[in-house]
Amino acid sequence: QVQLQESGPGLAKPSETLSLTCTVSGDSVSSGSYYWTWVRQPPGKGLEWIGFIWNTGSTKYKPSLESRVTMSLDTPKNQFSLMLTSVTAADTAVYYCAGGRFYYGMDVWGQGTTVTVSS
Amino acid sequence: QSALTQPPSASGSPGQSVTISCTGTSSDVGGYNYVSWYQQYPGKAPKLMIYEVTKRPSGVPDRFSGSKSGNTASLTVSGLQAEDEADYYCSSHAGSNNLVFGGGTRLTVL
């Protein structure tokens, strides 16, 4: 049974870089059984897809975030990560990592981690 | 890449059926059979209920079903139960490995 756990600072200052990590258990991030993704949810609002990363390290980012987003795999640690640069208050959200075995349907989710951007 | 359109709310009485719509364009919902639906309880992570328009992951009750016509996808919950009260989100492939979510629908069981 695959399980995901997000970790990272809960607070970031405006203009700084946000870094989050998702630790995977029950499968290898490089196995190819899952693709991996980050999704966020601002307070009281809906879900927003941030990007995908595949077992090869290939990525696809939401076009409107592409200039600020980097995703990567850490195979030895069995983790994947998210970096978001130049954050503003609009980036305040619960950030979820997720994995999918189905085409564009994510069936495994972490519990989410709250990130607040404030000075 | 605009968000898919869902009604903000839907409701039904226990035992009834309710359908939630998800409207996009020919570039997303209408162009691909890759619509998914998620259930989310307050403070919890989303749960995949439907993928590829009509398919249910293992463990999802068959009271949940999905369909699509043109640019609109739908989630139908039959035999409503109190535990079905939650937020529901659709998502769709939008070409070139892009994904777009709907704004979400709060389902209330009266």
Side-chain angles (χ1 to χ4, degrees):
Chain A
Q1 180 185 0
V2 176
Q3 293 184 315
L4 308 180
Q5 178 67 59
E6 305 90 348
S7 59
L11 183 65
K13 289 183 168 55
S15 80
E16 290 187 339
T17 295
L18 166 67
S19 294
L20 297 175
T21 297
C22 185
T23 300
V24 179
S25 59
D27 196 5
S28 166
V29 292
S30 59
S31 73
S33 299
Y34 288 82
Y35 57 85
W36 310 105
T37 188
W38 289 94
V39 173
R40 69 182 181 178
Q41 186 170 34
K45 296 188 177 181
L47 303 172
E48 179 184 20
W49 170 70
I50 298 172
F52 291 122
I53 184 165
W54 286 270
N55 64 307
T56 59
S58 296
T59 56
K60 177 66 179 182
Y61 306 136
K62 181 177 181 177
S64 62
L65 296 173
E66 189 167 15
S67 63
R68 299 196 292 132
V69 172
T70 302
M71 294 183 185
S72 59
L73 295 178
D74 187 334
T75 303
K77 293 184 178 179
N78 214 32
Q79 297 173 335
F80 62 99
S81 64
L82 168 70
M83 285 181 52
L84 183 64
T85 63
S86 304
V87 297
T88 70
D91 295 310
T92 293
V94 176
Y95 284 76
Y96 295 99
C97 61
R101 289 176 294 169
F102 312 116
Y103 283 108
Y104 307 103
M106 289 80 75
D107 58 320
V108 179
W109 291 72
Q111 65 185 24
T113 187
T114 299
V115 176
T116 301
V117 179
S118 175
S119 55
Chain B
Q1 191 184 31
S2 300
L4 307 176
T5 300
Q6 296 182 237
S9 63
S11 63
S13 299
Q16 289 186 332
S17 294
V18 64
T19 297
I20 299 171
S21 62
C22 170
T23 301
T25 69
S26 58
S27 297
D28 38 60
V29 174
Y32 308 93
N33 289 322
Y34 294 136
V35 175
S36 296
W37 289 91
Y38 299 88
Q39 177 191 64
Q40 186 182 35
Y41 294 115
K44 300 296 185 182
K47 174 186 176 183
L48 182 67
M49 305 301 283
I50 297 287
Y51 66 98
E52 294 176 29
V53 180
T54 62
K55 299 177 182 178
R56 277 188 311 275
S58 175
V60 172
D62 60 6
R63 301 186 294 104
F64 292 85
S65 62
S67 63
K68 190 184 85 167
S69 178
N71 296 336
T72 298
S74 299
L75 172 72
T76 298
V77 186
S78 305
L80 265 179
Q81 299 181 4
E83 67 201 53
D84 299 332
E85 185 161 296
D87 294 327
Y88 291 84
Y89 293 91
C90 62
S91 71
S92 175
H93 178 223
S96 301
N97 285 325
N98 288 299
L99 189 73
V100 61
F101 279 100
T105 298
R106 177 149 296 177
L107 176 59
T108 301
V109 181
L110 301 171

